[in-house]
Amino acid sequence: MNIYVLLKRTFDTEEKITIAGGKINEDGAEFIINPYDEYAVEEAIQVRDAHGGEVTVISVGNEESEKQLRTALAMGADKAVLVNIEDDVEASDQYTTAKIITQYLKDQEVDLIIAGNVAIDGGSGQVGPRVAESLKIPYVTTITKLEIEGTKVTVIRDVEGDSEVIETTLPLLVTAQQGLNEPRYPSLPGIMKAKKKPLEELELDDLDLEEDDVEAKTKTIEIYLPPKKEAGKLLTGDLHDQVKELVTLLHTEAKVV
Amino acid sequence: MARKVLVLGEVRDGTLRNVSFEALSAGKTIAEGGEVVGVLVGESVSALGQELIQYGANRVVVVEHAKLGQYTSDGYSQALWAVIEEEKPEGIVFGHTALGKDLSPRIAGKLNSGLISDATAIEVAGGNVVFTRPIYSGKAFEKKIVTDGIIFATIRPNNISALQKDDSLSGEVHSLTVDIKDLRAIIKEVVRKASEGVDLSEAKVVIAGGRGVKSEEGFEPLKELANILGGAVGASRGACDAEYCDYSLQIGQTGKVVTPDLYIACGISGAIQHLAGMSNSKVIVAINKDPEANIFKVADYGIVGDLFEVVPLLTEEFKKLKINA
């Protein structure tokens, strides 16, 4: 089975966000595999181990993304593809990323594509379904379980807390929700092996794409931090009085009840 | 510049979700004086058409089909696509709900258009329709515009105010016949786990419990408080991991993102992943035994104390307030 994973390099969850020159300041920040994409990598490895085949991890980004791709290889993926758009694309959005990934995948034999349901930085969750639409294959988002039997696939989809049991077929794209699995940590032998695994680096040219073909359809005109919250009011005194005061404050000052 | 804007009305258990009314309001802003066309998709939904008009749609297009009783990406995208081909809109708005998140990228992909997901504010400024949306789990915001093609956005529930309902309004509800072809993914079963009553992502008041709740039974006082306030109960990941409650209640980076008017955090320490799911709430109250708990840093009001003492007292006080009101 040919399994592809869509992976994005993102800020570490714990990082403090600051702005420099109108952009998110990346200096000194730690980067990780987007946590939802980590579920995708893990699931792909498990599917391959159960059904055979090969796991290829794809990322659209810059040369820095190689580190996260190596981590996926260390977890157990077989191959990685990095489409480096740093020199070619000035402004990208989800349209750009989906177009590039589709262009790569349309020439591959694809049985299963797994992506994270959303990236924790941009938070759009668009690329997976966009790619499925362009490849004309079915997709199911926010899945918490995946079972494959021949070409028949049964998935459980999380829908705002409810679960749907869905039957569909390969080829298929799914996006991972928390609860799908527990991603493994790369083992030391895994890390050693990963260094020798193939990592192909491509640019737009290699995919027969021009910058115009992937030009963003949207543009960010401003990035800002939320206004600093003033220190909250810690109530004091007798507990009963505190509760009374709180209710009064919520009613008359905050006016939310 | 006047635009024609399509707004999808989302139906759940036979009624329109609140976010649909908010989406109509957003649609009106984007239309800049143009027409707002409500869209309803389902098995039998046309009766809801007038309500969309009372909340700001100029008219409504309905697609009804036996295969559209439940949301599927294949079914709904065929229905929506037929409406888009007929209406040729210049703007589209969905709610940023499970349905909107699943469907919008596919429609945008088919349209070769951009898509601004999860908008929390919309304004017209300097000749552009400008969308505000949280990024980095609400730790920053960006303002975004569409530079090419249709203006397509999904809006986060509870952030853009709906227009006042006007019962005197009525308008055309037109039915469009669409031949819905095979669905490639079939829903075999739906297991309802989300609690009945108020929808967590749309609730105006959320009472959330953390590890401090200590047990499944420990959620009872929180439920009572939520009942009095017409709110919903949520939880931190800690409470879910400890099996005090179902994961469907989880709020945080890997759970639901909520922005209620009032968020009461009970026995929640305030890990950064939890804050990502609730820090944009309008008013935050923290109740925790530990005065050093991180949650107090984002709280507007805090009480240091045992939630099992404080929450029932709060319920009593709110009861009194309701009686006097």
Side-chain angles (χ1 to χ4, degrees), chain B residues 5-11 16 20 24 36-42 45-46 48-49 52-53 57-64 76 79-84 87 89 91-94 103 173-174 176:
Chain B
V5 180
L6 287 190
V7 175
L8 179 66
E10 192 176 331
V11 182
L16 284 161
S20 305
L24 284 169
V36 176
V37 181
V39 182
L40 284 171
V41 177
V45 290
S46 54
L48 299 167
L52 287 182
I53 288 165
N58 296 97
R59 59 187 173 84
V60 173
V61 180
V62 180
V63 182
E64 290 179 325
Y76 267 56
L80 249 306
W81 192 250
V83 177
I84 290 168
E87 296 287 345
I92 305 179
V93 186
F94 293 177
L103 184 63
V173 178
H174 156 78
L176 183 68

mmCIF file of all heavy atoms in Angstrom, chain B residues 5-11 16 20 24 36-42 45-46 48-49 52-53 57-64 76 79-84 87 89 91-94 103 173-174 176:
data_model
loop_
_atom_site.group_PDB
_atom_site.id
_atom_site.type_symbol
_atom_site.label_atom_id
_atom_site.label_comp_id
_atom_site.label_asym_id
_atom_site.label_seq_id
_atom_site.Cartn_x
_atom_site.Cartn_y
_atom_site.Cartn_z
ATOM 1 N N VAL B 5 -23.980 37.359 -1.936
ATOM 2 C CA VAL B 5 -23.293 36.467 -0.986
ATOM 3 C C VAL B 5 -24.208 35.298 -0.607
ATOM 4 O O VAL B 5 -25.359 35.489 -0.217
ATOM 5 C CB VAL B 5 -22.882 37.229 0.296
ATOM 6 C CG1 VAL B 5 -22.179 36.297 1.273
ATOM 7 C CG2 VAL B 5 -21.977 38.409 -0.046
ATOM 8 N N LEU B 6 -23.676 34.084 -0.727
ATOM 9 C CA LEU B 6 -24.401 32.885 -0.285
ATOM 10 C C LEU B 6 -24.044 32.593 1.166
ATOM 11 O O LEU B 6 -22.874 32.626 1.536
ATOM 12 C CB LEU B 6 -23.984 31.653 -1.098
ATOM 13 C CG LEU B 6 -24.433 31.469 -2.539
ATOM 14 C CD1 LEU B 6 -24.070 30.060 -2.979
ATOM 15 C CD2 LEU B 6 -25.913 31.704 -2.704
ATOM 16 N N VAL B 7 -25.066 32.307 1.966
ATOM 17 C CA VAL B 7 -24.813 31.947 3.369
ATOM 18 C C VAL B 7 -25.489 30.617 3.646
ATOM 19 O O VAL B 7 -26.697 30.463 3.431
ATOM 20 C CB VAL B 7 -25.372 33.026 4.324
ATOM 21 C CG1 VAL B 7 -25.204 32.572 5.774
ATOM 22 C CG2 VAL B 7 -24.684 34.361 4.102
ATOM 23 N N LEU B 8 -24.694 29.643 4.105
ATOM 24 C CA LEU B 8 -25.262 28.320 4.375
ATOM 25 C C LEU B 8 -25.923 28.299 5.758
ATOM 26 O O LEU B 8 -25.288 28.609 6.764
ATOM 27 C CB LEU B 8 -24.161 27.247 4.303
ATOM 28 C CG LEU B 8 -24.612 25.824 4.599
ATOM 29 C CD1 LEU B 8 -25.581 25.310 3.525
ATOM 30 C CD2 LEU B 8 -23.415 24.877 4.699
ATOM 31 N N GLY B 9 -27.199 27.945 5.791
ATOM 32 C CA GLY B 9 -27.893 27.742 7.062
ATOM 33 C C GLY B 9 -27.647 26.313 7.516
ATOM 34 O O GLY B 9 -27.887 25.375 6.769
ATOM 35 N N GLU B 10 -27.119 26.153 8.728
ATOM 36 C CA GLU B 10 -26.800 24.800 9.198
ATOM 37 C C GLU B 10 -27.887 24.296 10.133
ATOM 38 O O GLU B 10 -28.208 24.926 11.133
ATOM 39 C CB GLU B 10 -25.438 24.813 9.900
ATOM 40 C CG GLU B 10 -24.922 23.413 10.147
ATOM 41 C CD GLU B 10 -23.523 23.404 10.764
ATOM 42 O OE1 GLU B 10 -22.740 24.335 10.514
ATOM 43 O OE2 GLU B 10 -23.241 22.449 11.507
ATOM 44 N N VAL B 11 -28.444 23.139 9.789
ATOM 45 C CA VAL B 11 -29.557 22.592 10.553
ATOM 46 C C VAL B 11 -29.063 21.460 11.440
ATOM 47 O O VAL B 11 -28.291 20.611 11.016
ATOM 48 C CB VAL B 11 -30.650 22.053 9.595
ATOM 49 C CG1 VAL B 11 -31.841 21.514 10.389
ATOM 50 C CG2 VAL B 11 -31.096 23.134 8.627
ATOM 51 N N LEU B 16 -32.280 25.580 13.131
ATOM 52 C CA LEU B 16 -31.090 26.263 12.629
ATOM 53 C C LEU B 16 -30.137 26.537 13.783
ATOM 54 O O LEU B 16 -30.548 26.945 14.866
ATOM 55 C CB LEU B 16 -31.500 27.581 11.978
ATOM 56 C CG LEU B 16 -32.125 27.423 10.591
ATOM 57 C CD1 LEU B 16 -32.920 28.662 10.215
ATOM 58 C CD2 LEU B 16 -31.046 27.158 9.547
ATOM 59 N N SER B 20 -25.605 30.138 12.168
ATOM 60 C CA SER B 20 -26.157 30.476 10.849
ATOM 61 C C SER B 20 -26.651 31.920 10.826
ATOM 62 O O SER B 20 -26.521 32.612 9.820
ATOM 63 C CB SER B 20 -27.324 29.549 10.508
ATOM 64 O OG SER B 20 -26.919 28.209 10.597
ATOM 65 N N LEU B 24 -25.258 35.024 8.575
ATOM 66 C CA LEU B 24 -26.059 35.948 7.760
ATOM 67 C C LEU B 24 -25.608 37.386 7.990
ATOM 68 O O LEU B 24 -25.511 38.186 7.061
ATOM 69 C CB LEU B 24 -27.547 35.817 8.117
ATOM 70 C CG LEU B 24 -28.262 34.579 7.578
ATOM 71 C CD1 LEU B 24 -29.626 34.435 8.230
ATOM 72 C CD2 LEU B 24 -28.408 34.639 6.061
ATOM 73 N N VAL B 36 -28.114 39.001 -0.042
ATOM 74 C CA VAL B 36 -27.694 37.865 0.775
ATOM 75 C C VAL B 36 -28.669 36.719 0.515
ATOM 76 O O VAL B 36 -29.868 36.846 0.741
ATOM 77 C CB VAL B 36 -27.684 38.218 2.283
ATOM 78 C CG1 VAL B 36 -27.340 36.989 3.117
ATOM 79 C CG2 VAL B 36 -26.702 39.341 2.563
ATOM 80 N N VAL B 37 -28.149 35.621 -0.004
ATOM 81 C CA VAL B 37 -28.989 34.476 -0.346
ATOM 82 C C VAL B 37 -28.714 33.349 0.637
ATOM 83 O O VAL B 37 -27.597 32.838 0.708
ATOM 84 C CB VAL B 37 -28.705 34.003 -1.797
ATOM 85 C CG1 VAL B 37 -29.604 32.813 -2.149
ATOM 86 C CG2 VAL B 37 -28.891 35.144 -2.777
ATOM 87 N N GLY B 38 -29.724 32.983 1.406
ATOM 88 C CA GLY B 38 -29.582 31.869 2.330
ATOM 89 C C GLY B 38 -29.673 30.555 1.576
ATOM 90 O O GLY B 38 -30.389 30.456 0.580
ATOM 91 N N VAL B 39 -28.934 29.540 2.026
ATOM 92 C CA VAL B 39 -28.992 28.219 1.399
ATOM 93 C C VAL B 39 -29.307 27.189 2.468
ATOM 94 O O VAL B 39 -28.697 27.191 3.540
ATOM 95 C CB VAL B 39 -27.644 27.847 0.721
ATOM 96 C CG1 VAL B 39 -27.753 26.492 0.040
ATOM 97 C CG2 VAL B 39 -27.218 28.917 -0.259
ATOM 98 N N LEU B 40 -30.275 26.333 2.185
ATOM 99 C CA LEU B 40 -30.597 25.246 3.108
ATOM 100 C C LEU B 40 -30.447 23.930 2.369
ATOM 101 O O LEU B 40 -30.928 23.774 1.244
ATOM 102 C CB LEU B 40 -32.032 25.386 3.615
ATOM 103 C CG LEU B 40 -32.278 26.465 4.666
ATOM 104 C CD1 LEU B 40 -33.771 26.641 4.900
ATOM 105 C CD2 LEU B 40 -31.581 26.092 5.978
ATOM 106 N N VAL B 41 -29.779 22.976 3.011
ATOM 107 C CA VAL B 41 -29.551 21.668 2.411
ATOM 108 C C VAL B 41 -30.022 20.623 3.403
ATOM 109 O O VAL B 41 -29.707 20.704 4.591
ATOM 110 C CB VAL B 41 -28.045 21.469 2.090
ATOM 111 C CG1 VAL B 41 -27.788 20.082 1.544
ATOM 112 C CG2 VAL B 41 -27.559 22.529 1.110
ATOM 113 N N GLY B 42 -30.817 19.641 2.963
ATOM 114 C CA GLY B 42 -31.260 18.592 3.872
ATOM 115 C C GLY B 42 -32.323 17.732 3.235
ATOM 116 O O GLY B 42 -32.550 17.783 2.023
ATOM 117 N N VAL B 45 -36.185 20.628 4.867
ATOM 118 C CA VAL B 45 -35.700 21.791 5.602
ATOM 119 C C VAL B 45 -36.334 23.110 5.153
ATOM 120 O O VAL B 45 -36.061 24.157 5.733
ATOM 121 C CB VAL B 45 -34.153 21.922 5.493
ATOM 122 C CG1 VAL B 45 -33.467 20.821 6.280
ATOM 123 C CG2 VAL B 45 -33.695 21.887 4.034
ATOM 124 N N SER B 46 -37.192 23.055 4.129
ATOM 125 C CA SER B 46 -37.663 24.312 3.536
ATOM 126 C C SER B 46 -38.452 25.168 4.529
ATOM 127 O O SER B 46 -38.478 26.391 4.423
ATOM 128 C CB SER B 46 -38.497 24.051 2.280
ATOM 129 O OG SER B 46 -39.536 23.156 2.582
ATOM 130 N N LEU B 48 -37.656 26.036 7.295
ATOM 131 C CA LEU B 48 -36.760 26.928 8.042
ATOM 132 C C LEU B 48 -36.356 28.159 7.231
ATOM 133 O O LEU B 48 -35.690 29.059 7.743
ATOM 134 C CB LEU B 48 -35.511 26.161 8.479
ATOM 135 C CG LEU B 48 -35.780 24.960 9.402
ATOM 136 C CD1 LEU B 48 -34.535 24.090 9.526
ATOM 137 C CD2 LEU B 48 -36.234 25.438 10.772
ATOM 138 N N GLY B 49 -36.763 28.193 5.982
ATOM 139 C CA GLY B 49 -36.351 29.274 5.086
ATOM 140 C C GLY B 49 -36.726 30.656 5.583
ATOM 141 O O GLY B 49 -35.906 31.577 5.565
ATOM 142 N N LEU B 52 -34.426 32.226 8.141
ATOM 143 C CA LEU B 52 -33.198 32.818 7.588
ATOM 144 C C LEU B 52 -33.489 34.225 7.073
ATOM 145 O O LEU B 52 -32.664 35.135 7.214
ATOM 146 C CB LEU B 52 -32.644 31.957 6.444
ATOM 147 C CG LEU B 52 -31.972 30.635 6.810
ATOM 148 C CD1 LEU B 52 -31.450 29.945 5.554
ATOM 149 C CD2 LEU B 52 -30.817 30.831 7.796
ATOM 150 N N ILE B 53 -34.663 34.394 6.493
ATOM 151 C CA ILE B 53 -35.037 35.716 5.971
ATOM 152 C C ILE B 53 -35.225 36.709 7.127
ATOM 153 O O ILE B 53 -34.776 37.851 7.059
ATOM 154 C CB ILE B 53 -36.297 35.598 5.082
ATOM 155 C CG1 ILE B 53 -35.900 34.903 3.772
ATOM 156 C CG2 ILE B 53 -36.930 36.960 4.823
ATOM 157 C CD1 ILE B 53 -37.032 34.382 2.942
ATOM 158 N N ALA B 57 -31.497 37.240 5.465
ATOM 159 C CA ALA B 57 -31.370 36.791 4.072
ATOM 160 C C ALA B 57 -32.430 37.493 3.229
ATOM 161 O O ALA B 57 -33.553 37.691 3.681
ATOM 162 C CB ALA B 57 -31.545 35.278 3.978
ATOM 163 N N ASN B 58 -32.072 37.873 1.994
ATOM 164 C CA ASN B 58 -33.063 38.487 1.118
ATOM 165 C C ASN B 58 -33.987 37.433 0.515
ATOM 166 O O ASN B 58 -35.164 37.670 0.297
ATOM 167 C CB ASN B 58 -32.375 39.257 -0.015
ATOM 168 C CG ASN B 58 -31.563 40.418 0.523
ATOM 169 O OD1 ASN B 58 -30.353 40.293 0.714
ATOM 170 N ND2 ASN B 58 -32.221 41.514 0.829
ATOM 171 N N ARG B 59 -33.420 36.270 0.237
ATOM 172 C CA ARG B 59 -34.215 35.132 -0.210
ATOM 173 C C ARG B 59 -33.436 33.867 0.114
ATOM 174 O O ARG B 59 -32.278 33.928 0.561
ATOM 175 C CB ARG B 59 -34.543 35.241 -1.698
ATOM 176 C CG ARG B 59 -33.338 35.317 -2.593
ATOM 177 C CD ARG B 59 -33.745 35.609 -4.045
ATOM 178 N NE ARG B 59 -32.557 35.831 -4.845
ATOM 179 C CZ ARG B 59 -31.836 34.846 -5.400
ATOM 180 N NH1 ARG B 59 -32.203 33.578 -5.262
ATOM 181 N NH2 ARG B 59 -30.748 35.120 -6.088
ATOM 182 N N VAL B 60 -34.074 32.716 -0.135
ATOM 183 C CA VAL B 60 -33.460 31.449 0.275
ATOM 184 C C VAL B 60 -33.586 30.427 -0.851
ATOM 185 O O VAL B 60 -34.618 30.342 -1.517
ATOM 186 C CB VAL B 60 -34.146 30.918 1.561
ATOM 187 C CG1 VAL B 60 -33.637 29.522 1.921
ATOM 188 C CG2 VAL B 60 -33.911 31.873 2.733
ATOM 189 N N VAL B 61 -32.517 29.669 -1.060
ATOM 190 C CA VAL B 61 -32.547 28.543 -1.991
ATOM 191 C C VAL B 61 -32.447 27.260 -1.180
ATOM 192 O O VAL B 61 -31.594 27.136 -0.298
ATOM 193 C CB VAL B 61 -31.367 28.611 -2.998
ATOM 194 C CG1 VAL B 61 -31.414 27.422 -3.954
ATOM 195 C CG2 VAL B 61 -31.397 29.920 -3.762
ATOM 196 N N VAL B 62 -33.360 26.325 -1.474
ATOM 197 C CA VAL B 62 -33.387 25.075 -0.717
ATOM 198 C C VAL B 62 -33.078 23.910 -1.639
ATOM 199 O O VAL B 62 -33.614 23.819 -2.742
ATOM 200 C CB VAL B 62 -34.793 24.863 -0.097
ATOM 201 C CG1 VAL B 62 -34.834 23.566 0.690
ATOM 202 C CG2 VAL B 62 -35.158 26.029 0.804
ATOM 203 N N VAL B 63 -32.186 23.022 -1.181
ATOM 204 C CA VAL B 63 -31.951 21.768 -1.906
ATOM 205 C C VAL B 63 -32.354 20.631 -0.982
ATOM 206 O O VAL B 63 -31.747 20.436 0.081
ATOM 207 C CB VAL B 63 -30.467 21.610 -2.316
ATOM 208 C CG1 VAL B 63 -30.289 20.323 -3.118
ATOM 209 C CG2 VAL B 63 -29.989 22.811 -3.109
ATOM 210 N N GLU B 64 -33.396 19.910 -1.359
ATOM 211 C CA GLU B 64 -33.856 18.792 -0.538
ATOM 212 C C GLU B 64 -33.706 17.495 -1.319
ATOM 213 O O GLU B 64 -33.972 17.434 -2.516
ATOM 214 C CB GLU B 64 -35.326 19.007 -0.143
ATOM 215 C CG GLU B 64 -35.502 20.153 0.849
ATOM 216 C CD GLU B 64 -36.952 20.400 1.231
ATOM 217 O OE1 GLU B 64 -37.832 20.229 0.368
ATOM 218 O OE2 GLU B 64 -37.200 20.750 2.399
ATOM 219 N N TYR B 76 -23.419 17.016 0.306
ATOM 220 C CA TYR B 76 -23.547 18.469 0.471
ATOM 221 C C TYR B 76 -22.774 19.238 -0.601
ATOM 222 O O TYR B 76 -23.205 20.305 -1.028
ATOM 223 C CB TYR B 76 -23.071 18.889 1.868
ATOM 224 C CG TYR B 76 -24.184 18.958 2.887
ATOM 225 C CD1 TYR B 76 -25.004 17.854 3.128
ATOM 226 C CD2 TYR B 76 -24.428 20.122 3.611
ATOM 227 C CE1 TYR B 76 -26.022 17.919 4.070
ATOM 228 C CE2 TYR B 76 -25.444 20.194 4.554
ATOM 229 C CZ TYR B 76 -26.228 19.098 4.789
ATOM 230 O OH TYR B 76 -27.232 19.164 5.715
ATOM 231 N N ALA B 79 -24.837 19.407 -3.691
ATOM 232 C CA ALA B 79 -25.951 20.342 -3.525
ATOM 233 C C ALA B 79 -25.458 21.785 -3.611
ATOM 234 O O ALA B 79 -25.987 22.612 -4.360
ATOM 235 C CB ALA B 79 -26.643 20.092 -2.192
ATOM 236 N N LEU B 80 -24.400 22.074 -2.839
ATOM 237 C CA LEU B 80 -23.856 23.442 -2.821
ATOM 238 C C LEU B 80 -23.343 23.849 -4.191
ATOM 239 O O LEU B 80 -23.522 24.994 -4.615
ATOM 240 C CB LEU B 80 -22.697 23.490 -1.816
ATOM 241 C CG LEU B 80 -22.876 24.280 -0.534
ATOM 242 C CD1 LEU B 80 -23.304 25.708 -0.825
ATOM 243 C CD2 LEU B 80 -23.876 23.651 0.400
ATOM 244 N N TRP B 81 -22.692 22.919 -4.843
ATOM 245 C CA TRP B 81 -22.115 23.228 -6.148
ATOM 246 C C TRP B 81 -23.214 23.630 -7.136
ATOM 247 O O TRP B 81 -23.051 24.575 -7.914
ATOM 248 C CB TRP B 81 -21.298 22.053 -6.679
ATOM 249 C CG TRP B 81 -20.484 22.463 -7.846
ATOM 250 C CD1 TRP B 81 -20.673 22.093 -9.146
ATOM 251 C CD2 TRP B 81 -19.378 23.372 -7.842
ATOM 252 N NE1 TRP B 81 -19.755 22.712 -9.949
ATOM 253 C CE2 TRP B 81 -18.947 23.509 -9.181
ATOM 254 C CE3 TRP B 81 -18.723 24.100 -6.848
ATOM 255 C CZ2 TRP B 81 -17.891 24.333 -9.547
ATOM 256 C CZ3 TRP B 81 -17.671 24.915 -7.212
ATOM 257 C CH2 TRP B 81 -17.261 25.021 -8.546
ATOM 258 N N ALA B 82 -24.350 22.931 -7.079
ATOM 259 C CA ALA B 82 -25.471 23.259 -7.968
ATOM 260 C C ALA B 82 -25.977 24.680 -7.678
ATOM 261 O O ALA B 82 -26.270 25.448 -8.602
ATOM 262 C CB ALA B 82 -26.585 22.239 -7.792
ATOM 263 N N VAL B 83 -26.051 25.022 -6.395
ATOM 264 C CA VAL B 83 -26.508 26.365 -6.019
ATOM 265 C C VAL B 83 -25.498 27.409 -6.499
ATOM 266 O O VAL B 83 -25.866 28.455 -7.041
ATOM 267 C CB VAL B 83 -26.710 26.481 -4.485
ATOM 268 C CG1 VAL B 83 -27.124 27.907 -4.111
ATOM 269 C CG2 VAL B 83 -27.750 25.476 -3.995
ATOM 270 N N ILE B 84 -24.219 27.121 -6.332
ATOM 271 C CA ILE B 84 -23.173 28.068 -6.746
ATOM 272 C C ILE B 84 -23.229 28.286 -8.266
ATOM 273 O O ILE B 84 -23.131 29.407 -8.749
ATOM 274 C CB ILE B 84 -21.775 27.567 -6.296
ATOM 275 C CG1 ILE B 84 -21.655 27.674 -4.777
ATOM 276 C CG2 ILE B 84 -20.657 28.343 -6.986
ATOM 277 C CD1 ILE B 84 -20.472 26.956 -4.177
ATOM 278 N N GLU B 87 -26.381 30.463 -8.901
ATOM 279 C CA GLU B 87 -26.388 31.820 -8.338
ATOM 280 C C GLU B 87 -25.155 32.643 -8.692
ATOM 281 O O GLU B 87 -25.177 33.864 -8.622
ATOM 282 C CB GLU B 87 -26.527 31.758 -6.811
ATOM 283 C CG GLU B 87 -27.851 31.167 -6.314
ATOM 284 C CD GLU B 87 -29.019 32.126 -6.514
ATOM 285 O OE1 GLU B 87 -28.778 33.322 -6.764
ATOM 286 O OE2 GLU B 87 -30.168 31.666 -6.444
ATOM 287 N N PRO B 89 -22.326 33.355 -6.995
ATOM 288 C CA PRO B 89 -22.108 34.347 -5.934
ATOM 289 C C PRO B 89 -20.707 34.954 -5.999
ATOM 290 O O PRO B 89 -19.801 34.385 -6.602
ATOM 291 C CB PRO B 89 -22.249 33.518 -4.650
ATOM 292 C CG PRO B 89 -21.788 32.151 -5.054
ATOM 293 C CD PRO B 89 -22.258 31.971 -6.476
ATOM 294 N N GLY B 91 -19.540 36.058 -2.956
ATOM 295 C CA GLY B 91 -19.098 35.785 -1.588
ATOM 296 C C GLY B 91 -19.820 34.557 -1.051
ATOM 297 O O GLY B 91 -20.925 34.246 -1.496
ATOM 298 N N ILE B 92 -19.182 33.832 -0.132
ATOM 299 C CA ILE B 92 -19.804 32.663 0.509
ATOM 300 C C ILE B 92 -19.421 32.670 1.986
ATOM 301 O O ILE B 92 -18.259 32.947 2.327
ATOM 302 C CB ILE B 92 -19.318 31.329 -0.111
ATOM 303 C CG1 ILE B 92 -19.547 31.301 -1.627
ATOM 304 C CG2 ILE B 92 -20.023 30.132 0.551
ATOM 305 C CD1 ILE B 92 -19.064 30.033 -2.308
ATOM 306 N N VAL B 93 -20.379 32.380 2.863
ATOM 307 C CA VAL B 93 -20.064 32.271 4.300
ATOM 308 C C VAL B 93 -20.667 30.985 4.864
ATOM 309 O O VAL B 93 -21.842 30.688 4.641
ATOM 310 C CB VAL B 93 -20.632 33.469 5.105
ATOM 311 C CG1 VAL B 93 -20.152 33.397 6.557
ATOM 312 C CG2 VAL B 93 -20.243 34.806 4.491
ATOM 313 N N PHE B 94 -19.859 30.235 5.588
ATOM 314 C CA PHE B 94 -20.307 29.075 6.377
ATOM 315 C C PHE B 94 -19.947 29.350 7.840
ATOM 316 O O PHE B 94 -19.055 30.157 8.115
ATOM 317 C CB PHE B 94 -19.549 27.793 6.002
ATOM 318 C CG PHE B 94 -19.777 27.238 4.628
ATOM 319 C CD1 PHE B 94 -19.056 26.115 4.223
ATOM 320 C CD2 PHE B 94 -20.689 27.788 3.737
ATOM 321 C CE1 PHE B 94 -19.227 25.561 2.961
ATOM 322 C CE2 PHE B 94 -20.872 27.238 2.465
ATOM 323 C CZ PHE B 94 -20.127 26.134 2.077
ATOM 324 N N LEU B 103 -16.501 20.898 4.851
ATOM 325 C CA LEU B 103 -17.018 21.188 3.509
ATOM 326 C C LEU B 103 -16.321 22.359 2.810
ATOM 327 O O LEU B 103 -16.093 22.315 1.597
ATOM 328 C CB LEU B 103 -18.528 21.476 3.621
ATOM 329 C CG LEU B 103 -19.307 21.718 2.338
ATOM 330 C CD1 LEU B 103 -19.284 20.478 1.446
ATOM 331 C CD2 LEU B 103 -20.752 22.108 2.650
ATOM 332 N N VAL B 173 -38.716 31.619 -0.908
ATOM 333 C CA VAL B 173 -37.945 30.405 -0.613
ATOM 334 C C VAL B 173 -38.100 29.502 -1.829
ATOM 335 O O VAL B 173 -39.177 28.988 -2.116
ATOM 336 C CB VAL B 173 -38.453 29.699 0.661
ATOM 337 C CG1 VAL B 173 -37.661 28.418 0.904
ATOM 338 C CG2 VAL B 173 -38.339 30.630 1.870
ATOM 339 N N HIS B 174 -37.005 29.376 -2.556
ATOM 340 C CA HIS B 174 -37.066 28.726 -3.866
ATOM 341 C C HIS B 174 -36.368 27.374 -3.777
ATOM 342 O O HIS B 174 -35.303 27.235 -3.185
ATOM 343 C CB HIS B 174 -36.389 29.678 -4.865
ATOM 344 C CG HIS B 174 -35.844 29.043 -6.086
ATOM 345 N ND1 HIS B 174 -36.635 28.670 -7.140
ATOM 346 C CD2 HIS B 174 -34.576 28.739 -6.454
ATOM 347 C CE1 HIS B 174 -35.871 28.155 -8.094
ATOM 348 N NE2 HIS B 174 -34.627 28.185 -7.694
ATOM 349 N N LEU B 176 -34.481 24.155 -5.375
ATOM 350 C CA LEU B 176 -33.650 23.773 -6.517
ATOM 351 C C LEU B 176 -33.530 22.247 -6.525
ATOM 352 O O LEU B 176 -33.140 21.642 -5.526
ATOM 353 C CB LEU B 176 -32.262 24.419 -6.379
ATOM 354 C CG LEU B 176 -31.277 24.198 -7.523
ATOM 355 C CD1 LEU B 176 -31.716 24.917 -8.784
ATOM 356 C CD2 LEU B 176 -29.881 24.698 -7.108
#
